[in-house]
């Protein structure tokens, strides 16, 4: 085994630990032992194109996953709505539970009952869409979240961006909104030299950027962890020396735990996204910050 | 460590890192944006135009139905209370009516008793009257009978005393009459003296 590879792996090890993906570290050190281990990489998120290569309409595996999710989500919701009755059945109850969750626990809690009504459709659509796109990360055979490629999170964040800026402008007018956002009241005048650029960055750049990147990074990290766990399991059980096979059980258990954790993260990220959306809208339309 | 450096760490670890750079993770490709917008648009249209309005309508209907049900229950309760009140009023009325009828009956009863009593006393008076009359008649009859008997008795007595002197029918009758007149006069004075007492 060449020492250079080992050094490179060690370097990676430190990088990974710093990236707070410490879980990967113990398994990553085994990587150099054999060429049979397939480490996860970001090339997973750029699969080869299937159709229209090099054009605006290029379609790869992730786009296909998104189409599938969109169709499934639309079909489920349309069927649920078509079958919806005054006395709900089991299926309708589950859908209504989620709808109520967004309406009551997110919209009404953050925006207040009156203002919430206007934004419930936005928040509900966002929550359902993000949840559906996230959950594909742990569905066998798909194994990648629709939101793991930055395009979708960016479009979602842009939508929210337009909505909260629009809400602010509608509530205060362009001047009023800029004044309320960039010159928070109750601060000594000279502080605006510091505050205004910060507020500007926050409102116009950081909020949408963090929305998109948080969602994407969580899904990317989740995917990498799952791939790592399961490819390590594969490697340990079928290719590694007999003495190493026991590690396979360990990595498989870790993979199982990660799958459950990813299910939780998928829901959590959808929730965080809509909560932040509601908070941003609330900050825009509020009279005083 | 920046977010961009995170994927970069994987890039070096990856086997086929040909043209994919870590920065690509946060720089969306045009086709990526395009198809994301398309799928989101599809989802948003389905949600905004159909699914969410339907569920809102269903929820509103349910709320209305529940409120209607509660209202109806309240109405029914009010109706029941009204019926109970009416029933009680009727009961009260019936009781008053019964008391009135009883009172009337009692009054009538006592009137009937009084009438019966009057009638009875009248009857008693009438019976007494009749009895009195009968007694009077019997007394007169007895008086006539007595007069005859006394006459006969006296004549017999007198004839025994006087002998045949009075055999003559005419004389006998005359003597008897005179005797009786005297007797009657005597009796009348005695009776007057008695009444005067």
């Amino acid at each position: 085994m060449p020492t250079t590879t080992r050094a490179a792996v060690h370097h990676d090890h430190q990088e990974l630990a710093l990236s707070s993906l410490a879980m990967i570290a113990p398994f990553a050190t085994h990587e150099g032992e054999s060429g049979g281990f397939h480490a996860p990489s970001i090339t997973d998120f750029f699969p080869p194109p299937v159709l229209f290569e090099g054009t605006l309409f290029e379609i790869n595996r992730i786009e296909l996953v998104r189409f599938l999710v969109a169709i499934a989500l639309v079909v489920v919701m349309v069927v649920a709505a078509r079958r919806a009755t005054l006395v709900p059945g089991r299926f309708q109850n589950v859908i209504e539970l989620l709808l109520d969750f967004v309406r009551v626990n997110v919209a009404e809690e953050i925006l207040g009952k009156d203002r919430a009504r206007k934004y419930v459709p936005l928040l509900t659509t966002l929550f359902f869409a993000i949840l559906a796109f996230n959950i594909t990360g742990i569905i066998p055979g798909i194994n990648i979240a629709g939101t793991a490629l930055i395009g979708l999170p960016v479009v979602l964040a842009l939508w929210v961006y337009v909505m909260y800026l629009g809400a602010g402008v509608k509530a205060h007018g362009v001047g009023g909104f800029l004044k309320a956002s960039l010159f928070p009241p109750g601060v000594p005048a000279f502080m605006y030299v510091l505050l205004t650029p910060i507020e500007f960055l926050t409102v116009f750049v950081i909020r949408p950027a963090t929305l998109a990147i948080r969602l994407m990074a969580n899904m990317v990290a989740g995917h990498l962890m799952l791939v790592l766990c399961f490819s390590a399991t594969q490697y340990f059980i079928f290719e590694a020396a007999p003495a190493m096979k026991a590690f396979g059980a360990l990595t498989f258990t870790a993979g199982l735990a990660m799958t459950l954790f990813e299910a939780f993260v998928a829901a959590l990220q959808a929730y965080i996204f809509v909560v932040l959306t509601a908070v941003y809208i609330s900050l825009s339309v509020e009279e005083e910050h | 460590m920046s977010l961009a450096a995170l994927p970069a760490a994987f890039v070096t670890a990856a086997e086929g890192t040909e043209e994919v750079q870590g920065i690509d993770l946060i720089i969306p490709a045009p086709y990526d944006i395009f198809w994301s917008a398309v799928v989101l648009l599809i989802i948003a249209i389905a949600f905004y135009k159909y699914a969410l309005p339907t569920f809102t309508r269903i929820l509103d209907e349910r709320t209305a139905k529940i409120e209607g049900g509660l209202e109806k229950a309240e109405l029914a309760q009010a109706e029941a209370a009204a019926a109970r009140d009416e029933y009680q009023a009727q009961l009260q009325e019936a009781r008053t009516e019964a008391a009135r009828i009883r009172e009337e009956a009692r009054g009538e009863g006592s009137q009937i008793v009084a009438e019966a009593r009057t009638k009875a006393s009248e009857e008693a008076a009438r019976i007494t009257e009749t009895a009195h009359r009968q007694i009077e008649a019997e007394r007169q009859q007895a008086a006539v009978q007595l007069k005859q008997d006394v006459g006969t008795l006296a004549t017999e007595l007198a004839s025994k005393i006087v002998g045949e002197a009075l055999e003559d029918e005419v004389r006998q009758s005359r003597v008897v009459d005179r005797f009786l007149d005297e007797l009657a006069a005597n009796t009348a004075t005695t009776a007057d003296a008695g009444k005067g007492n």
Side-chain angles (χ1 to χ4, degrees), chain A residues 15 41 43 66 86 96 151, chain B residues 1 14 16 31-32 35-36 62:
Chain A
E15 291 278 327
S41 80
T43 47
R66 287 176 181 166
L86 274 186
E96 282 186 9
Chain B
M1 183 177 212
Y31 72 87
D32 190 10
W35 288 119
S36 300
R62 192 178 300 155

Side-chain angles (χ1 to χ4, degrees), chain B residues 24-86:
Chain B
D24 289 343
L25 272 181
I26 55 167
I27 303 294
Y31 72 87
D32 190 10
I33 294 278
F34 175 76
W35 288 119
S36 300
V38 168
V39 292
L40 264 188
L41 202 66
I42 292 168
I43 292 173
I45 287 171
F47 270 69
Y48 272 70
K49 293 288 171 203
Y50 185 68
L52 294 179
T54 309
F55 275 106
T56 308
R57 182 173 54 75
I58 292 278
L59 285 177
D60 287 351
E61 254 174 58
R62 192 178 300 155
T63 309
K65 200 129 203 173
I66 290 169
E67 272 171 4
L70 289 179
E71 219 163 80
K72 205 180 274 178
E74 248 165 50
L75 208 70
Q77 215 157 25
E79 259 172 28
R84 198 192 54 214
D85 286 352
E86 198 181 334

Side-chain angles (χ1 to χ4, degrees), chain A residues 12 15-16 19 21 24 31 37 39 41-43 46 55-60 63 66-67 73-74 77-78 80-82 84-86 88 92 95-96 99 121-122 124-125 128 133 149-152 154-156 159 213 216 224, chain B residues 1 3 5-7 9-18 20-22 24-40 42-44 46-48 50-52 54-62 65:
Chain A
D12 288 346
E15 291 278 327
L16 288 172
S19 339
L21 297 172
I24 297 170
E31 185 193 349
F37 179 70
S41 80
I42 59 163
T43 47
F46 300 95
T55 68
L56 178 62
F57 311 108
E58 185 177 307
I59 293 176
N60 59 27
E63 306 301 343
R66 287 176 181 166
F67 295 152
L73 182 59
V74 167
M77 287 309 283
V78 167
R82 188 153 291 174
T85 50
L86 274 186
Q92 194 186 341
I95 301 284
E96 282 186 9
L99 288 169
L122 168 72
T124 311
T125 310
F128 276 69
F133 283 124
L149 196 55
I150 191 72
L152 186 53
V154 161
V155 174
L156 287 165
W159 185 9
I213 292 171
M216 179 276 292
L224 292 176
Chain B
M1 183 177 212
L3 271 162
L6 180 153
F10 286 100
V11 174
T12 42
E15 284 156 50
T17 55
E18 308 95 344
V20 178
Q21 299 296 307
D24 289 343
L25 272 181
I26 55 167
I27 303 294
Y31 72 87
D32 190 10
I33 294 278
F34 175 76
W35 288 119
S36 300
V38 168
V39 292
L40 264 188
I42 292 168
I43 292 173
F47 270 69
Y48 272 70
Y50 185 68
L52 294 179
T54 309
F55 275 106
T56 308
R57 182 173 54 75
I58 292 278
L59 285 177
D60 287 351
E61 254 174 58
R62 192 178 300 155
K65 200 129 203 173

Side-chain angles (χ1 to χ4, degrees), chain A residues 178-200:
Chain A
L178 286 178
K179 189 169 175 293
S181 305
L182 303 183
F183 299 94
V187 176
F190 67 90
M191 283 298 284
Y192 287 132
V193 178
L194 262 177
L195 267 181
T196 304
I198 294 173
E199 290 289 326
F200 180 85

Side-chain angles (χ1 to χ4, degrees), chain A residues 3-26:
Chain A
T3 43
T4 46
T5 324
R6 219 179 208 308
V9 167
H10 256 283
H11 174 70
D12 288 346
H13 177 191
Q14 283 167 352
E15 291 278 327
L16 288 172
L18 280 171
S19 339
S20 78
L21 297 172
M23 275 287 296
I24 297 170

